[in-house]
Amino acid sequence: MTATTTEPITPIAVDAPVSKAADPAASAKQRSTRKAFIALALVIGLMLVGVLVYVLVTRGKVSTDNATVQADVVPIATRVGGTVLHVFVDENQRVTAGQPLLDLDGAEYSARVQQAEGELAQAEAQQQEAEAQELIMKASSKGGFTSARAQVVESSARAAGAKAGIVVGQAGLNSAQAVARHADTEFGRSQSLLAEEVISQQQFENTKLVADSAHAAVKQAQAKLMAADDTKRAASQGITEAQGRLAQSRPVDAFIAAANGATALARGKVVAAQGSLDLARLQLTYTHVAAPAAGRVSGLTARLAQTLSAGQPVAQFVPDLAYVTADFKETQTGDMHAGQRAKIWIDAYPHRSFEGRVESLSAGTGAVFSLLPPDNATGNFVKVVQRVPVRIAFIHLPSDIELRSGLSADVTVYLK
């Protein structure tokens, strides 16, 4: 039996056959990966484009939705008290400037006007009287001084004449007494001669008649002397009176100053009376309450026959002149200033926009003007972005738009 030699068989490397089912799966996976990368690149590109578009669109302007339409709402109050006679408006009624709102009973104020007119007329009459007295006082004071001085001179002249009259009277009395003594002597001699029958009865009677005449002349001289003395005393008294009047009339300037003061006082009373009359007339006009401007009257509380006190509010007045207050973040206001253009969107008119202009920026943030402003010195301080109120005015607001205070709005301010 022939021995068979067995040689080792060397394995031949043969490429494994590629499975036809595995090739499509790998290709699909590769395509899916490529699509994912492409989609991611597109998303990133779109995001970059979006950011670029946002930057381009928002460049040079800032916006906020924290804005409201506002108006300078003021309470309408009565300036005087009284009873309501008429109410001319209804709640939320539109009014024009000067339109009557209500009337108060003005009978009391009309009476005050009449009283003030009477007091003014009285004061004017007193002023006229004082001015006339002033003129009279000026004339009489100057004339009285001159007259008193003339009376002093005249009285002095009379006194001098009276003194001369006394001298003459005394001389006449002395002469009459001498004649009377001589006549008495002759009469005594004639009595002796008659007793001796030296002279006749007729001669005796003639001597007696001469003696009686001499005594009568003495009495007459005495009477003249007494009259001259009385004249002297009267002249002396006249001098005293004239000197007194002269002394009284010497302070002419003081009399004139007193007259001027009385006139000034009367004029001051006229001014005071005129002021009272003006005040009374003004208070009478306050019984008519009118609209201060064009707008609406809301919150009307005045009713017919109601008694109101001075300063009592009767309605709220909302003027037509509205504006927008927009609260921008403090980081948005660095380049903002008055005069910049703005665009306004009001929630009540969502499909319309309105042109505006920045009027002013507040001097402080909203928190500063709050009832309890924040104090950053506390230990638990947390920094919060603050809001700055910005006032924006409307430009050419359409006539068909009716704004109400408190409406919400969005605002965009163009910084450039």
Side-chain angles (χ1 to χ4, degrees), residues 170-186:
Q170 186 64 47
L173 177 60
N174 294 334
S175 176
Q177 289 176 345
V179 172
R181 285 193 298 270
H182 177 71
D184 288 338
T185 302
E186 291 296 328

Side-chain angles (χ1 to χ4, degrees), residues 130-180:
E131 290 175 348
Q133 290 293 337
E134 180 182 7
L135 295 176
I136 295 173
M137 180 60 68
K138 288 180 180 179
S140 62
S141 296
K142 296 179 180 179
F145 178 74
T146 303
S147 176
R149 187 165 55 186
Q151 288 179 358
V152 169
V153 175
E154 182 181 358
S155 299
S156 300
R158 288 180 182 177
K163 289 181 180 179
I166 291 176
V167 174
V168 173
Q170 186 64 47
L173 177 60
N174 294 334
S175 176
Q177 289 176 345
V179 172

Side-chain angles (χ1 to χ4, degrees), residues 280-300:
R281 289 174 176 172
L282 190 61
Q283 289 179 340
L284 180 59
T285 62
Y286 290 159
T287 59
H288 306 282
V289 182
R296 283 184 177 274
V297 176
S298 299
L300 184 64

Side-chain angles (χ1 to χ4, degrees), residues 85-416:
L85 293 182
H86 302 284
V87 179
F88 300 105
V89 294
D90 298 324
E91 179 71 13
N92 299 322
Q93 180 177 335
R94 177 174 293 280
V95 295
T96 58
Q99 180 175 341
L101 302 182
L102 58 90
D103 279 348
L104 302 178
D105 186 5
E108 178 182 355
Y109 300 100
S110 297
R112 291 182 182 179
V113 170
Q114 294 178 356
Q115 180 181 2
E117 289 176 347
E119 292 176 352
L120 177 60
Q122 181 179 0
E124 289 176 344
Q126 292 177 350
Q127 177 185 352
Q128 293 177 359
E129 181 182 1
E131 290 175 348
Q133 290 293 337
E134 180 182 7
L135 295 176
I136 295 173
M137 180 60 68
K138 288 180 180 179
S140 62
S141 296
K142 296 179 180 179
F145 178 74
T146 303
S147 176
R149 187 165 55 186
Q151 288 179 358
V152 169
V153 175
E154 182 181 358
S155 299
S156 300
R158 288 180 182 177
K163 289 181 180 179
I166 291 176
V167 174
V168 173
Q170 186 64 47
L173 177 60
N174 294 334
S175 176
Q177 289 176 345
V179 172
R181 285 193 298 270
H182 177 71
D184 288 338
T185 302
E186 291 296 328
F187 179 67
R189 185 181 299 126
S190 62
Q191 284 180 340
S192 299
L193 294 175
L194 180 62
E196 297 177 356
E197 296 181 356
V198 175
I199 61 174
S200 63
Q201 184 67 30
Q202 182 67 32
Q203 290 176 333
F204 173 75
E205 290 178 0
N206 290 337
T207 305
K208 183 179 179 181
L209 180 61
V210 170
D212 292 339
S213 298
H215 284 288
V218 170
K219 292 181 180 180
Q220 185 178 3
Q222 289 176 345
K224 288 182 179 181
L225 181 59
M226 292 177 62
D229 188 59
D230 292 339
T231 303
K232 178 184 176 182
R233 284 197 298 268
S236 298
Q237 185 177 0
I239 291 174
T240 304
E241 293 177 355
Q243 288 176 345
R245 285 193 291 270
L246 180 61
Q248 291 179 352
S249 60
R250 281 186 184 278
V252 177
D253 295 338
F255 292 149
I256 295 176
N260 292 338
T263 302
L265 179 61
R267 290 172 180 169
K269 290 182 179 180
V270 170
V271 174
Q274 183 65 55
S276 300
L277 177 59
D278 294 340
L279 179 60
R281 289 174 176 172
L282 190 61
Q283 289 179 340
L284 180 59
T285 62
Y286 290 159
T287 59
H288 306 282
V289 182
R296 283 184 177 274
V297 176
S298 299
L300 184 64
T301 59
R303 298 294 182 267
L304 184 65
Q306 180 182 1
T307 301
L308 303 177
S309 59
Q312 180 176 347
V314 295
Q316 298 291 328
F317 177 73
V318 184
D320 289 339
L321 185 60
Y323 56 91
V324 173
T325 298
D327 295 327
F328 284 93
K329 296 179 180 179
E330 56 183 322
T331 55
Q332 296 176 309
T333 59
D335 296 329
M336 192 179 300
H337 58 80
Q340 291 176 332
R341 186 173 64 91
K343 191 172 288 292
I344 305 167
W345 292 268
I346 301 176
D347 292 0
Y349 304 96
H351 304 295
R352 304 182 66 172
S353 62
F354 308 94
E355 294 293 328
R357 183 184 67 255
V358 176
E359 279 194 341
S360 61
L361 282 76
S362 175
T365 63
V368 170
F369 298 109
S370 63
L371 182 61
L372 297 175
D375 186 3
N376 295 343
T378 58
N380 58 351
F381 167 68
V382 177
K383 185 175 182 179
V384 178
V385 178
Q386 300 297 311
R387 296 274 179 167
V388 178
V390 178
R391 177 164 174 158
I392 299 174
F394 288 95
I395 300 177
H396 304 303
L397 187 67
S399 59
D400 61 335
I401 296 299
E402 185 174 356
L403 299 180
R404 294 176 174 84
S405 182
L407 295 178
S408 299
D410 294 349
V411 175
T412 297
V413 175
Y414 297 88
L415 305 177
K416 296 182 181 180

Side-chain angles (χ1 to χ4, degrees), residues 54-78:
Y54 176 79
V55 171
L56 293 177
V57 171
T58 60
R59 183 180 180 183
K61 61 183 178 180
V62 290
S63 301
T64 183
D65 59 355
N66 189 356
T68 55
V69 177
Q70 294 185 358
D72 296 329
V73 181
V74 293
I76 297 178
T78 57

